[in-house]
């Protein structure tokens, strides 16, 4: 399916402030960028680089005053993400080199503290995809999805002590559990067509059966078009914007995702 | 200035054929991508990767039948490329690691065969930028720029034996001479606003005075907006399309570049 | 000065176990590897790859039974690490791209939680090197260095609540504070010639004045030869060994560092 | 088997001269570095970086006067390189991204000029490994291997016009032919245990059947331990030393490779 997705950020900047942005989705597996737009108002010079995870990042200094960033994309996405019950566990010694950093604990995914808990969650499940499914079920059963409640990013340990979390933090818990049983897992931030209420979304991917598969503790199934904007170890790596210096208020953020017909332009 | 640039390629494909494309300019030094479009007709699945030079490359299999690729971009570019007469030569031991591959000879830039000739071209010039300028003058004085004459790519040695060449091949000669005197030099393929007749263009960059500078043997000056699409060692690295298997005819290629007012969208 | 440094690890492996090792120091700034040795007993096949931080990593499956890893290196190192009181703060927008990941919070360096504390630590200090020095003094004054006490890795937040820490965890606190004031900081694990008692050591580097400088909260000064073995965001990235599956006991670990005369071999 | 391999280079340097060296073999597929030594006399400061092909490269400025580089390695290598008659051709669209640069023509491998010739060489052979074997047979039958005759590096086109060539240039021809039929091929420079007379050696690898395989037009079979020192597109990428500025004479070069028993140190 074709999707039109957009994100608007509006700030009032008290003093010129450096920003790091991650708002340009790339063509990749199951997504092809047909059209893309990135508007800075006022127009300021910006440079782009590729971070260690392959994300396109934009650097700029926002001038004092009102400042907005408006990005949009027309993208072809799959109708549903692939699933593969039964896909096998890949022994660590056979994992591709580039998946190994996703086995390590990270800022919000303290996988080193989840070995015991995960063992009991996945007990009796076939190693691999089915273990990941058990982890997702566990999260869905124990943590209440509370979109809009998550100003402060919290880690897997903190999620685990709470009954409420947003998508991003539920993903942290899923990632930490996967890594605890030697399954590489990574964070994805992006758009999900069917999300209610509409917002940016976060989920995770786990490497089983020889490739990355999508898991989303907030959704009953994997229906709906997804657009990955950025990949990383956890929320620390995939902030759609980071600003440095004195904190700047985000006045307004608007996200939309709509189906569209195949573009002819 | 803001530019709207576009490139249309039309093929008639006899049998399904793998392509490698390089048609998505990136935001970078002196250029910011405000809007971008990439349309395949018919729509086929494609994947993208970053090559060793940082270019975004698209891979796809073109199906049998008519096939077209239409890309366009709204981009903010400088009014003129920076120049820096007198900028110093950077001794090899102080060059950044990432510039070193651009000192080596490559397919179409046999720099190992240009040591003597280049010594005589740059005689008496200050090491660095002024040597590059002398090389560009030499090319302009000895090779006639003949846009449209260059179906087959030719190398610096071959250009040097001829009196006619296209932009790409003149760049080959410039690059070979720079490398022969230990100045890193790289190929750029892109759009040039003021080009007559309009087409894709090629020029080169040399690393002097601590950064890359633009040189263009086909132009009297560096006025006019430029959009870099791809960087590489020579034309072998920056083909906007490569196809594999039996040769496929390009039926039509249309390039346009126009000034536009700053977009508001 | 020339140093001979070695590290011996002995395990008793209950069942074949995958390992990831980081025990091959590279030649780099202020260190040149003259001779190096890496012995696995029993000899098993191993492969090597470069991680995202540039570290050489070894992968292998340790067979059941006694297993040892013995590495050593003859390396030329500086007599003391460079220091540069007064070196300036580099504004975020001028930082090289590759330093940016070292501004983000990471597993053991929750820099997002140290903004206020760091502001008060560095109050009145010139931005840059002198702020880092203030952070190091603060750590030295408030945390007692207790080599040998640190089985479990603890994070900057946890260190800050304790009065005792090992070198690694003191580095975590230093890194978190630097990042909290937008100074890139990274973990180093390596050898230090003058360490008492001898062991592997950990310290950190901060990016100020246009380059990385060494800081070590455990030492009064920067005298003594240092050998960097691995760089990363924190201890999660630079474990000299990681093993997967059921925990394996380290029976014995021996580290030695000695001055030697320049080798002639 | 375990091999002890060494390489000695002696120069007389008229004036301080920057060098780029590639003399540190890495552990990799079918080779494990157990001990390694790298001695510069006189001792000068050197830095190391990883080039785009993953080779460890050393940079230094050789001082005026006698200067020598002595490297040696104890390495575990396979008794013979793998062969796989019948291994299938990998369609371009299924090739891993990182193999794609090895499809392009390069300085000494003008694959764009070998399409017709290669078609006739491989006629009737199954696509993939068997085509590569046909190319190797063709080279062996038409080009006489003349070790020691090859001061100047020559390209595939030039080899093809001659009756004599050294290993490096025979590899150029093999690589050019493979690429001409869309098989990725790369140059390897290294040690070969059984080489007569002993010297550094060069061969090539082709990507078929889902991995890289060794091909060597100079040898009747693939027996004998091999140690890869560097990989690249052709000889331009894998010079064991490059020097810049006025040419410097190599006074002496000594290479040795001997079997040894497994080291215990």
């Amino acid at each position: 399916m074709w999707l039109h997705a957009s994100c608007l950020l509006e700030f009032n900047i008290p003093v010129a402030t450096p920003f790091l942005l991650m708002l340009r989705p790339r063509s990749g597996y199951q997504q092809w960028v047909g059209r893309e737009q990135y508007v800075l108002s006022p127009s300021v010079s910006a440079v782009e680089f590729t971070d260690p995870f392959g994300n396109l990042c934009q650097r700029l200094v926002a001038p004092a005053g009102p400042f907005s960033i408006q990005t949009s994309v027309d993208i072809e996405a799959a109708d549903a993400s692939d699933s593969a019950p039964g896909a096998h566990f890949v022994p660590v010694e056979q994992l591709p080199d580039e998946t190994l950093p996703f086995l390590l604990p990270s800022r919000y995914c303290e996988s080193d503290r989840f070995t015991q808990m995960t063992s009991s969650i996945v007990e009796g499940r076939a190693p691999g995809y089915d273990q990941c499914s058990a982890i997702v079920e566990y999260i869905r059963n124990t943590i209440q999805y509370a979109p809009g409640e998550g100003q402060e990013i919290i880690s897997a340990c903190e999620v685990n002590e709470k009954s409420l979390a947003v998508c991003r933090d539920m993903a942290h818990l899923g990632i930490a559990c996967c890594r605890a049983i030697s399954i590489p897992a990574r964070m994805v931030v992006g758009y999900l067509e069917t999300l209610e209420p509409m917002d940016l979304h976060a989920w995770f991917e786990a490497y089983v059966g020889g490739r990355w598969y999508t898991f989303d503790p907030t959704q009953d199934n994997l229906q709906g078009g997804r657009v990955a904007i950025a990949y990383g170890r956890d929320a620390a790596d995939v902030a759609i914007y980071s600003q440095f210096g004195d904190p700047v208020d985000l006045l307004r953020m608007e996200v939309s995702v709509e189906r569209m017909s195949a573009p002819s332009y």
Side-chain angles (χ1 to χ4, degrees), chain A residues 44-57:
Chain A
V44 295
S45 82
V47 290
E48 197 168 275
F49 73 101
T50 306
D51 78 5
F53 304 102
N55 303 307
L56 297 181
C57 304

Side-chain angles (χ1 to χ4, degrees), chain A residues 227-251:
Chain A
V227 175
I229 298 175
Y231 294 91
R233 301 212 283 203
D234 60 30
D237 290 330
V238 297
I240 56 160
Y241 75 92
S242 305
Q243 54 96 180
F244 301 89
D246 289 335
V248 160
D249 281 340
L250 176 62
L251 301 182

Side-chain angles (χ1 to χ4, degrees), chain A residues 51 65 81-82 116 121 125 134 143 194 211 253 257-258 264:
Chain A
D51 78 5
S81 302
D82 296 344
Q116 280 206 315
I121 292 173
R125 299 294 184 109
I143 311 292
T194 53
R211 50 162 284 199
M253 171 163 174
V257 187
E258 288 153 34
S264 54

Side-chain angles (χ1 to χ4, degrees), chain A residues 68-211:
Chain A
S68 76
I69 300 163
Q70 163 85 58
T71 62
S72 72
V73 69
D74 294 350
I75 203 161
E76 191 170 21
D79 290 351
S81 302
D82 296 344
S83 66
H88 65 279
F89 173 78
V90 182
V92 171
E93 64 272 23
Q94 294 169 21
L95 286 170
D97 293 342
E98 63 272 20
T99 63
L100 296 175
F102 298 103
L103 278 181
L104 301 176
S106 59
R107 169 66 184 93
Y108 298 109
C109 302
E110 310 95 332
S111 46
D112 47 307
R113 310 255 161 116
F114 283 87
T115 310
Q116 280 206 315
M117 185 178 112
T118 310
S119 296
S120 93
I121 292 173
V122 303
E123 207 185 337
R125 299 294 184 109
Y129 194 96
D130 296 354
Q131 290 176 320
C132 301
S133 296
I135 290 165
V136 167
E137 284 158 32
Y138 169 84
I139 298 171
R140 215 173 280 153
N141 292 336
T142 56
I143 311 292
Q144 191 190 336
Y145 175 40
E149 300 289 317
Q151 292 305 63
E152 196 188 13
I153 305 177
I154 61 174
S155 75
C157 285
E158 292 164 324
V159 174
N160 204 34
E161 287 162 13
K162 291 195 164 189
S163 52
L164 286 181
V166 299
C167 54
R168 175 194 63 210
D169 302 325
M170 293 172 83
H172 285 153
L173 182 52
I175 292 168
C177 291
C178 287
R179 292 181 190 163
I181 51 171
S182 300
I183 295 177
R186 65 184 182 187
M187 186 85 172
V188 190
V189 66
Y191 300 106
L192 171 59
E193 172 210 5
T194 53
L195 195 65
E196 292 272 347
M198 182 49 65
D199 200 348
L200 282 176
H201 192 49
W203 60 90
F204 72 99
E205 293 184 351
Y207 192 90
V208 288
R211 50 162 284 199

